[in-house]
Coordinates of all heavy atoms in Angstrom, one line a residue:
M1443 N 330.6 22.9 1.8 CA 330.2 24.1 1.2 C 331.1 24.3 -0.1 O 332.3 24.1 -0.1 CB 330.4 25.3 2.1 CG 330.1 26.6 1.4 SD 329.7 28.1 2.4 CE 331.1 28.3 3.5
E1444 N 330.4 24.7 -1.2 CA 331.1 25.0 -2.4 C 331.9 26.2 -2.4 O 331.5 27.2 -1.8 CB 330.0 25.2 -3.4 CG 329.8 24.5 -4.7 CD 330.7 23.4 -5.1 OE1 330.5 22.3 -4.6 OE2 331.5 23.6 -6.0
P1445 N 333.2 26.2 -2.9 CA 333.9 27.5 -2.9 C 333.2 28.5 -3.7 O 332.6 28.2 -4.7 CB 335.3 27.1 -3.5 CG 335.3 25.6 -3.7 CD 333.9 25.1 -3.4
R1446 N 333.4 29.8 -3.3 CA 332.7 30.9 -4.0 C 333.4 31.2 -5.4 O 332.8 31.6 -6.3 CB 332.8 32.1 -3.2 CG 331.9 33.3 -3.7 CD 332.0 34.5 -2.8 NE 332.7 34.5 -1.6 CZ 332.2 34.4 -0.4 NH1 330.9 34.4 -0.3 NH2 332.9 34.3 0.7
R1447 N 334.7 30.9 -5.4 CA 335.5 31.2 -6.6 C 336.4 30.0 -7.0 O 336.9 29.3 -6.1 CB 336.3 32.5 -6.5 CG 335.5 33.7 -6.2 CD 336.3 35.0 -6.2 NE 337.2 35.0 -5.1 CZ 338.2 35.8 -5.0 NH1 338.5 36.7 -5.9 NH2 339.1 35.7 -4.0
S1448 N 336.6 29.9 -8.3 CA 337.4 28.8 -8.8 C 338.9 29.2 -8.5 O 339.2 30.4 -8.3 CB 337.2 28.6 -10.2 OG 337.7 29.7 -11.0
P1449 N 339.8 28.2 -8.6 CA 341.2 28.6 -8.4 C 341.7 29.6 -9.5 O 342.5 30.5 -9.2 CB 341.9 27.2 -8.6 CG 340.9 26.2 -8.2 CD 339.6 26.8 -8.6
E1450 N 341.1 29.5 -10.7 CA 341.5 30.4 -11.8 C 341.0 31.8 -11.4 O 341.7 32.8 -11.7 CB 340.8 30.0 -13.1 CG 341.4 28.7 -13.6 CD 340.8 27.4 -13.0 OE1 339.8 27.5 -12.3 OE2 341.4 26.3 -13.2
Q1451 N 339.8 31.9 -10.8 CA 339.3 33.3 -10.5 C 340.2 33.9 -9.3 O 340.4 35.1 -9.3 CB 337.9 33.2 -10.0 CG 336.9 32.9 -11.2 CD 335.5 32.6 -10.7 OE1 335.3 31.8 -9.8 NE2 334.5 33.2 -11.4
V1452 N 340.6 33.0 -8.4 CA 341.4 33.5 -7.3 C 342.8 34.0 -7.9 O 343.3 35.1 -7.5 CB 341.7 32.4 -6.2 CG1 342.7 32.8 -5.2 CG2 340.3 32.1 -5.6
L1453 N 343.3 33.2 -8.8 CA 344.6 33.6 -9.5 C 344.4 34.9 -10.2 O 345.3 35.8 -10.2 CB 345.1 32.5 -10.4 CG 346.5 32.7 -11.0 CD1 347.5 32.9 -9.9 CD2 346.8 31.5 -11.8
A1454 N 343.3 35.1 -10.9 CA 343.1 36.3 -11.7 C 343.0 37.5 -10.7 O 343.5 38.6 -11.0 CB 341.8 36.2 -12.5
A1455 N 342.3 37.3 -9.6 CA 342.2 38.4 -8.6 C 343.6 38.8 -8.1 O 343.9 39.9 -7.9 CB 341.3 38.0 -7.5
A1456 N 344.4 37.8 -7.8 CA 345.8 38.0 -7.3 C 346.6 38.8 -8.3 O 347.3 39.7 -8.0 CB 346.4 36.7 -6.9
R1457 N 346.4 38.4 -9.6 CA 347.1 39.1 -10.7 C 346.7 40.6 -10.8 O 347.5 41.5 -11.0 CB 346.9 38.4 -12.0 CG 347.7 37.2 -12.1 CD 347.6 36.6 -13.5 NE 348.2 35.3 -13.6 CZ 347.7 34.2 -14.0 NH1 346.4 34.2 -14.5 NH2 348.4 33.1 -14.1
A1458 N 345.4 40.8 -10.6 CA 344.8 42.2 -10.7 C 345.4 43.0 -9.5 O 345.7 44.2 -9.7 CB 343.3 42.1 -10.6
M1459 N 345.5 42.4 -8.3 CA 346.1 43.1 -7.2 C 347.5 43.5 -7.5 O 348.0 44.6 -7.2 CB 345.9 42.3 -5.9 CG 344.5 42.2 -5.4 SD 344.4 41.2 -3.9 CE 342.8 40.6 -4.0
D1460 N 348.3 42.5 -8.0 CA 349.7 42.7 -8.3 C 349.8 43.9 -9.3 O 350.7 44.7 -9.2 CB 350.3 41.5 -8.9 CG 350.6 40.4 -7.8 OD1 350.6 40.8 -6.6 OD2 350.9 39.3 -8.2
E1461 N 348.9 43.9 -10.3 CA 349.0 44.9 -11.4 C 348.7 46.3 -10.8 O 349.3 47.3 -11.1 CB 347.9 44.6 -12.4 CG 348.0 45.5 -13.6 CD 346.9 45.1 -14.7 OE1 346.6 43.9 -14.8 OE2 346.5 46.0 -15.4
A1462 N 347.7 46.3 -9.9 CA 347.4 47.6 -9.2 C 348.5 48.1 -8.4 O 348.9 49.3 -8.4 CB 346.1 47.4 -8.3
R1463 N 349.2 47.2 -7.6 CA 350.3 47.6 -6.8 C 351.5 48.1 -7.7 O 352.1 49.1 -7.5 CB 350.8 46.4 -6.0 CG 349.9 46.0 -4.9 CD 349.9 46.9 -3.7 NE 351.1 46.7 -3.0 CZ 351.8 47.7 -2.4 NH1 351.5 48.9 -2.5 NH2 353.0 47.4 -1.8
A1464 N 351.7 47.4 -8.9 CA 352.7 47.8 -9.8 C 352.4 49.2 -10.4 O 353.3 49.9 -10.8 CB 352.9 46.8 -10.9
A1465 N 351.1 49.5 -10.5 CA 350.7 50.8 -11.0 C 350.7 51.9 -10.0 O 350.3 53.0 -10.3 CB 349.3 50.6 -11.7
G1466 N 351.1 51.5 -8.8 CA 351.3 52.6 -7.7 C 350.3 52.6 -6.6 O 350.3 53.4 -5.8
L1467 N 349.4 51.6 -6.6 CA 348.4 51.6 -5.5 C 349.1 51.2 -4.2 O 349.7 50.2 -4.1 CB 347.3 50.5 -5.8 CG 346.2 50.5 -4.8 CD1 345.3 51.8 -4.8 CD2 345.3 49.3 -5.0
P1468 N 349.0 52.1 -3.2 CA 349.7 51.8 -1.9 C 349.0 50.6 -1.2 O 347.8 50.3 -1.4 CB 349.5 53.1 -1.1 CG 349.2 54.1 -2.1 CD 348.5 53.4 -3.2
G1469 N 349.8 49.9 -0.4 CA 349.3 48.7 0.3 C 348.2 49.0 1.2 O 347.2 48.1 1.2
D1470 N 348.2 50.1 1.8 CA 347.0 50.4 2.7 C 345.7 50.6 2.0 O 344.7 50.2 2.5 CB 347.3 51.6 3.6 CG 347.6 52.9 2.9 OD1 348.0 52.8 1.7 OD2 347.3 54.0 3.5
L1471 N 345.8 51.1 0.8 CA 344.6 51.2 0.0 C 344.1 49.9 -0.6 O 342.9 49.6 -0.7 CB 344.7 52.3 -1.1 CG 345.0 53.7 -0.7 CD1 345.1 54.6 -1.8 CD2 344.0 54.2 0.3
L1472 N 345.1 49.0 -0.9 CA 344.7 47.7 -1.3 C 344.0 46.9 -0.2 O 343.0 46.3 -0.4 CB 345.9 46.9 -1.8 CG 345.7 45.4 -2.2 CD1 344.7 45.3 -3.3 CD2 347.0 44.7 -2.5
V1473 N 344.5 47.1 1.0 CA 343.8 46.5 2.2 C 342.4 47.0 2.3 O 341.5 46.2 2.6 CB 344.6 46.7 3.5 CG1 343.8 46.3 4.7 CG2 345.9 46.0 3.4
V1474 N 342.2 48.3 2.1 CA 340.8 48.8 2.1 C 339.9 48.2 1.1 O 338.8 47.8 1.3 CB 340.8 50.4 2.0 CG1 339.4 50.9 1.8 CG2 341.5 51.0 3.1
M1475 N 340.5 48.0 -0.1 CA 339.7 47.4 -1.2 C 339.3 46.0 -0.9 O 338.2 45.5 -1.1 CB 340.5 47.4 -2.5 CG 340.8 48.8 -3.1 SD 339.4 49.7 -3.8 CE 339.0 48.7 -5.2
V1476 N 340.3 45.2 -0.3 CA 340.0 43.8 0.0 C 339.0 43.7 1.2 O 338.1 42.9 1.1 CB 341.3 43.1 0.4 CG1 341.1 41.7 1.0 CG2 342.2 43.0 -0.8
A1477 N 339.1 44.6 2.1 CA 338.1 44.7 3.2 C 336.7 45.0 2.7 O 335.7 44.5 3.2 CB 338.6 45.7 4.3
A1478 N 336.7 45.9 1.8 CA 335.4 46.3 1.2 C 334.8 45.1 0.4 O 333.5 44.9 0.5 CB 335.5 47.5 0.2
R1479 N 335.6 44.4 -0.3 CA 335.1 43.2 -1.0 C 334.5 42.2 0.0 O 333.4 41.6 -0.2 CB 336.2 42.5 -1.8 CG 335.7 41.4 -2.6 CD 336.8 40.6 -3.3 NE 337.8 41.5 -3.9 CZ 338.7 41.0 -4.7 NH1 338.9 39.8 -4.9 NH2 339.6 41.9 -5.3
A1480 N 335.2 42.0 1.1 CA 334.7 41.1 2.2 C 333.4 41.6 2.8 O 332.5 40.8 3.0 CB 335.8 40.9 3.3
A1481 N 333.3 42.9 3.0 CA 332.1 43.4 3.6 C 330.9 43.3 2.6 O 329.8 42.9 3.0 CB 332.3 44.9 3.9
W1482 N 331.2 43.5 1.3 CA 330.2 43.3 0.3 C 329.6 41.9 0.3 O 328.5 41.6 0.1 CB 330.8 43.7 -1.1 CG 329.8 43.7 -2.2 CD1 328.6 44.3 -2.3 CD2 330.0 43.1 -3.5 NE1 328.0 44.1 -3.5 CE2 328.9 43.4 -4.3 CE3 331.1 42.4 -4.0 CZ2 328.8 42.9 -5.6 CZ3 331.0 41.9 -5.3 CH2 329.8 42.2 -6.1
W1483 N 330.5 40.9 0.5 CA 330.1 39.5 0.6 C 329.5 39.2 2.0 O 329.1 38.0 2.2 CB 331.3 38.6 0.4 CG 331.8 38.5 -1.0 CD1 331.1 38.8 -2.1 CD2 333.1 38.1 -1.4 NE1 332.0 38.6 -3.2 CE2 333.2 38.2 -2.8 CE3 334.3 37.7 -0.7 CZ2 334.3 37.9 -3.5 CZ3 335.4 37.4 -1.4 CH2 335.4 37.5 -2.8
G1484 N 329.4 40.1 2.9 CA 328.8 39.9 4.2 C 329.8 39.2 5.2 O 329.3 38.6 6.1
E1485 N 331.1 39.4 4.9 CA 332.1 38.7 5.8 C 332.9 39.7 6.6 O 334.0 39.3 7.0 CB 333.0 37.8 4.9 CG 332.2 36.7 4.2 CD 333.1 36.0 3.2 OE1 334.2 36.4 2.9 OE2 332.6 34.9 2.7
G1486 N 332.4 40.8 6.9 CA 333.2 41.8 7.7 C 332.5 43.1 7.7 O 331.5 43.3 7.1
Q1487 N 333.2 44.0 8.3 CA 332.7 45.4 8.4 C 333.2 46.2 7.3 O 334.3 46.0 6.8 CB 333.1 46.0 9.8 CG 332.6 45.3 11.0 CD 331.1 45.5 11.1 OE1 330.5 46.5 10.8 NE2 330.4 44.4 11.5
W1488 N 332.4 47.2 6.9 CA 332.9 48.1 5.8 C 333.9 49.1 6.4 O 333.8 49.5 7.6 CB 331.7 49.0 5.3 CG 330.8 48.3 4.4 CD1 329.7 47.6 4.7 CD2 331.0 48.2 3.0 NE1 329.2 47.0 3.5 CE2 330.0 47.4 2.4 CE3 332.0 48.7 2.1 CZ2 329.9 47.1 1.1 CZ3 331.9 48.4 0.7 CH2 330.9 47.6 0.3
P1489 N 335.0 49.3 5.7 CA 336.0 50.3 6.2 C 335.3 51.7 6.3 O 334.2 51.9 5.8 CB 337.0 50.3 5.0 CG 336.9 49.0 4.4 CD 335.4 48.7 4.5
A1490 N 336.0 52.6 7.0 CA 335.4 53.9 7.2 C 335.3 54.6 5.8 O 336.0 54.4 4.9 CB 336.4 54.7 8.1
R1491 N 334.3 55.5 5.8 CA 334.0 56.3 4.6 C 335.2 57.0 4.0 O 335.4 56.9 2.8 CB 332.8 57.2 4.8 CG 332.4 58.0 3.6 CD 331.3 59.0 4.1 NE 330.8 59.7 2.9 CZ 329.8 59.4 2.2 NH1 329.1 58.3 2.5 NH2 329.4 60.1 1.1
D1492 N 336.0 57.6 4.9 CA 337.2 58.3 4.4 C 338.2 57.4 3.8 O 338.9 57.7 2.8 CB 337.8 59.2 5.4 CG 338.3 58.4 6.6 OD1 337.7 57.4 7.0 OD2 339.3 58.8 7.2
E1493 N 338.3 56.1 4.3 CA 339.2 55.1 3.7 C 338.7 54.7 2.4 O 339.5 54.5 1.4 CB 339.4 53.9 4.7 CG 340.1 54.2 5.9 CD 340.1 53.1 6.9 OE1 339.1 52.3 6.9 OE2 341.1 52.9 7.6
L1494 N 337.4 54.5 2.3 CA 336.8 54.1 1.0 C 337.0 55.1 -0.1 O 337.3 54.8 -1.2 CB 335.3 53.8 1.2 CG 335.0 52.6 2.0 CD1 333.5 52.5 2.3 CD2 335.4 51.3 1.4
T1495 N 336.8 56.4 0.3 CA 336.9 57.5 -0.6 C 338.4 57.6 -1.1 O 338.6 57.8 -2.3 CB 336.5 58.8 0.1 OG1 335.1 58.7 0.5 CG2 336.6 60.0 -0.9
A1496 N 339.3 57.4 -0.2 CA 340.7 57.5 -0.6 C 341.1 56.3 -1.5 O 341.8 56.5 -2.5 CB 341.6 57.4 0.7
A1497 N 340.5 55.2 -1.2 CA 340.8 54.0 -2.1 C 340.4 54.2 -3.5 O 341.1 54.0 -4.5 CB 340.2 52.8 -1.5
I1498 N 339.1 54.7 -3.7 CA 338.6 54.8 -5.1 C 339.2 56.1 -5.7 O 339.1 56.2 -7.0 CB 337.1 54.8 -5.2 CG1 336.4 55.9 -4.4 CG2 336.6 53.4 -4.7 CD1 335.0 56.1 -4.8
A1499 N 339.8 57.0 -5.0 CA 340.4 58.2 -5.6 C 341.7 57.9 -6.3 O 342.1 58.6 -7.2 CB 340.6 59.3 -4.5
H1500 N 342.3 56.8 -5.9 CA 343.6 56.4 -6.5 C 343.3 55.8 -7.9 O 342.5 54.8 -7.9 CB 344.4 55.5 -5.6 CG 345.8 55.4 -6.1 ND1 346.2 54.7 -7.2 CD2 346.9 55.9 -5.5 CE1 347.5 54.7 -7.3 NE2 347.9 55.5 -6.3
P1501 N 343.9 56.2 -9.0 CA 343.6 55.7 -10.3 C 343.8 54.2 -10.4 O 343.1 53.5 -11.2 CB 344.5 56.5 -11.2 CG 345.1 57.5 -10.4 CD 344.9 57.3 -9.0
A1502 N 344.8 53.7 -9.7 CA 345.1 52.2 -9.9 C 344.1 51.3 -9.1 O 344.1 50.1 -9.4 CB 346.5 51.9 -9.4
S1503 N 343.2 51.9 -8.3 CA 342.3 51.1 -7.5 C 341.3 50.3 -8.4 O 340.9 49.3 -8.1 CB 341.6 51.9 -6.5 OG 340.7 52.9 -7.1
R1504 N 341.0 50.9 -9.6 CA 340.1 50.2 -10.5 C 340.6 48.9 -11.0 O 339.9 48.0 -11.4 CB 339.7 51.1 -11.7 CG 338.9 52.3 -11.2 CD 338.5 53.1 -12.4 NE 337.2 52.8 -12.9 CZ 336.3 53.6 -13.4 NH1 336.7 54.8 -13.6 NH2 335.1 53.2 -13.8
L1505 N 342.0 48.8 -11.0 CA 342.6 47.6 -11.5 C 342.4 46.4 -10.5 O 342.4 45.3 -11.0 CB 344.1 47.8 -11.7 CG 344.5 48.9 -12.7 CD1 346.0 49.1 -12.6 CD2 344.1 48.5 -14.1
V1506 N 342.2 46.7 -9.3 CA 341.9 45.7 -8.3 C 340.7 44.9 -8.6 O 340.7 43.7 -8.7 CB 341.9 46.2 -6.8 CG1 341.5 45.1 -5.8 CG2 343.2 46.9 -6.5
D1507 N 339.6 45.6 -8.8 CA 338.3 45.0 -9.1 C 337.3 46.1 -9.5 O 336.9 46.9 -8.6 CB 337.8 44.2 -7.8 CG 336.6 43.4 -8.0 OD1 335.7 43.9 -8.8 OD2 336.4 42.3 -7.4
E1508 N 337.0 46.1 -10.7 CA 336.1 47.2 -11.2 C 334.7 47.1 -10.5 O 334.2 48.2 -10.2 CB 335.9 47.0 -12.7 CG 335.0 48.0 -13.4 CD 335.5 49.4 -13.5 OE1 336.8 49.6 -13.5 OE2 334.8 50.4 -13.5
V1509 N 334.2 45.9 -10.3 CA 332.9 45.8 -9.6 C 332.9 46.4 -8.2 O 332.1 47.2 -7.8 CB 332.4 44.4 -9.6 CG1 331.1 44.2 -8.8 CG2 332.2 43.9 -11.1
I1510 N 333.9 46.0 -7.4 CA 334.1 46.5 -6.1 C 334.3 48.0 -6.1 O 333.8 48.7 -5.3 CB 335.2 45.8 -5.3 CG1 334.8 44.3 -5.1 CG2 335.5 46.4 -4.0 CD1 333.5 44.1 -4.4
W1511 N 335.1 48.5 -7.1 CA 335.3 49.9 -7.2 C 334.0 50.7 -7.3 O 333.7 51.7 -6.7 CB 336.2 50.2 -8.4 CG 336.7 51.6 -8.5 CD1 337.8 52.2 -8.0 CD2 336.0 52.7 -9.1 NE1 337.8 53.5 -8.2 CE2 336.7 53.9 -9.0 CE3 334.8 52.8 -9.9 CZ2 336.3 55.1 -9.5 CZ3 334.4 54.0 -10.4 CH2 335.2 55.1 -10.2
R1512 N 333.1 50.1 -8.2 CA 331.8 50.8 -8.4 C 330.9 50.7 -7.2 O 330.2 51.6 -6.9 CB 331.1 50.1 -9.6 CG 331.7 50.5 -10.9 CD 331.1 49.7 -12.1 NE 331.9 49.9 -13.3 CZ 331.5 50.8 -14.2 NH1 330.4 51.5 -14.1 NH2 332.2 50.9 -15.3
V1513 N 331.0 49.5 -6.5 CA 330.2 49.4 -5.3 C 330.6 50.4 -4.2 O 329.8 51.0 -3.6 CB 330.3 47.9 -4.7 CG1 329.8 47.8 -3.3 CG2 329.6 46.9 -5.6
I1514 N 331.9 50.6 -4.1 CA 332.5 51.6 -3.1 C 332.0 53.0 -3.6 O 331.6 53.7 -2.7 CB 334.0 51.5 -3.0 CG1 334.4 50.1 -2.4 CG2 334.5 52.6 -2.2 CD1 335.9 49.9 -2.5
R1515 N 332.2 53.3 -4.8 CA 331.8 54.6 -5.3 C 330.3 54.9 -5.0 O 330.0 56.0 -4.5 CB 332.0 54.7 -6.9 CG 331.7 56.0 -7.4 CD 331.5 56.0 -8.9 NE 330.4 55.1 -9.2 CZ 330.2 54.6 -10.4 NH1 331.0 54.9 -11.4 NH2 329.2 53.8 -10.7
D1516 N 329.5 53.9 -5.2 CA 328.0 54.1 -4.9 C 327.8 54.2 -3.5 O 326.9 55.0 -3.0 CB 327.2 52.9 -5.5 CG 327.2 52.9 -7.0 OD1 327.6 53.9 -7.7 OD2 326.8 51.8 -7.6
R1517 N 328.6 53.5 -2.6 CA 328.4 53.6 -1.2 C 328.8 55.0 -0.6 O 328.2 55.5 0.3 CB 329.2 52.5 -0.5 CG 329.0 52.4 1.0 CD 329.7 51.2 1.5 NE 329.5 51.1 2.9 CZ 328.5 50.5 3.5 NH1 327.5 49.9 2.8 NH2 328.4 50.4 4.8
V1518 N 329.9 55.6 -1.2 CA 330.3 56.9 -0.7 C 329.7 58.1 -1.4 O 330.0 59.2 -1.0 CB 331.9 57.0 -0.7 CG1 332.5 55.9 0.2 CG2 332.4 56.9 -2.1
A1519 N 328.9 57.8 -2.5 CA 328.3 58.9 -3.2 C 327.4 59.7 -2.3 O 326.7 59.1 -1.5 CB 327.5 58.4 -4.4
P1520 N 327.4 61.0 -2.5 CA 326.5 61.8 -1.7 C 325.0 61.4 -2.0 O 324.7 61.2 -3.1 CB 326.8 63.3 -2.1 CG 328.0 63.2 -3.0 CD 328.2 61.8 -3.4
R1521 N 324.3 61.4 -0.9 CA 322.8 61.1 -1.1 C 322.1 62.4 -1.3 O 322.2 63.4 -0.6 CB 322.3 60.4 0.2 CG 323.1 59.2 0.6 CD 322.8 58.0 -0.3 NE 323.4 56.8 0.1 CZ 324.3 56.1 -0.6 NH1 324.7 56.6 -1.7 NH2 324.8 55.0 -0.1
A1522 N 321.2 62.3 -2.3 CA 320.4 63.5 -2.6 C 319.1 63.5 -2.0 O 318.6 62.5 -1.6 CB 320.3 63.7 -4.1

């Protein structure tokens, strides 16, 4: 099976996580973001709604992954 991401992409993701942590993102919220990314790829369960909401409420969470941040925001958005 072909890897989903290149080594360069993995390194860029790790740098983004380090940047988010340096900007004040708590470790527990980073774990939520990583779990959400895995769930989006179909490799796990989505974290609880309150955990997702807390993760995207932190300003540094966007530094982890803008796409995942938007996916989470759309997932927790109130349904009209």
